[in-house]
Amino acid sequence: IITTDLLAPFIGERDNQPLFFKWDHHWTPAGAKLAAKNVAEQLKQRGAPQGGKTFSITEGKKVTISGSLASVYKKICKV
């Protein structure tokens, strides 16, 4: 199974913008874009077919996220 190591790109970019939500383990739109760019480059280098659908990321309305880390914190700290 071929995988793409995202550690180095994420470490290189982490001081420029948030790549994960503060209280959640999911990527922000910037993190998703960085991951997609690196996975696409890896596929291109390995000879994957080019073309196909084009996707874009757009910002929607701002929401308050109470993700998995936030819920664990609330249970442990009883807040």
Side-chain angles (χ1 to χ4, degrees), residues 1-5 42-43 46:
I1 297 173
I2 298 168
T3 61
T4 302
D5 185 0
Q42 187 72 235
L43 289 169
R46 297 193 178 273

Side-chain angles (χ1 to χ4, degrees), residues 2-60:
I2 298 168
T3 61
T4 302
D5 185 0
L6 297 174
L7 182 61
F10 271 63
I11 288 174
E13 190 64 27
R14 69 180 173 189
D15 293 334
N16 298 326
Q17 57 189 331
L19 301 174
F20 291 91
F21 289 109
K22 186 175 181 177
W23 291 103
D24 195 292
H25 65 279
H26 292 93
W27 295 326
T28 62
K33 185 175 181 179
L34 180 62
K37 178 182 169 187
N38 281 271
V39 169
E41 184 58 38
Q42 187 72 235
L43 289 169
K44 185 178 178 181
Q45 289 175 5
R46 297 193 178 273
Q50 302 295 300
K53 292 184 178 183
T54 301
F55 296 92
S56 63
I57 298 173
T58 57
E59 267 194 54

Side-chain angles (χ1 to χ4, degrees), residues 63-74:
V63 296
T64 301
I65 296 176
S66 180
S68 56
L69 294 178
S71 59
V72 170
Y73 169 79
K74 288 176 183 177

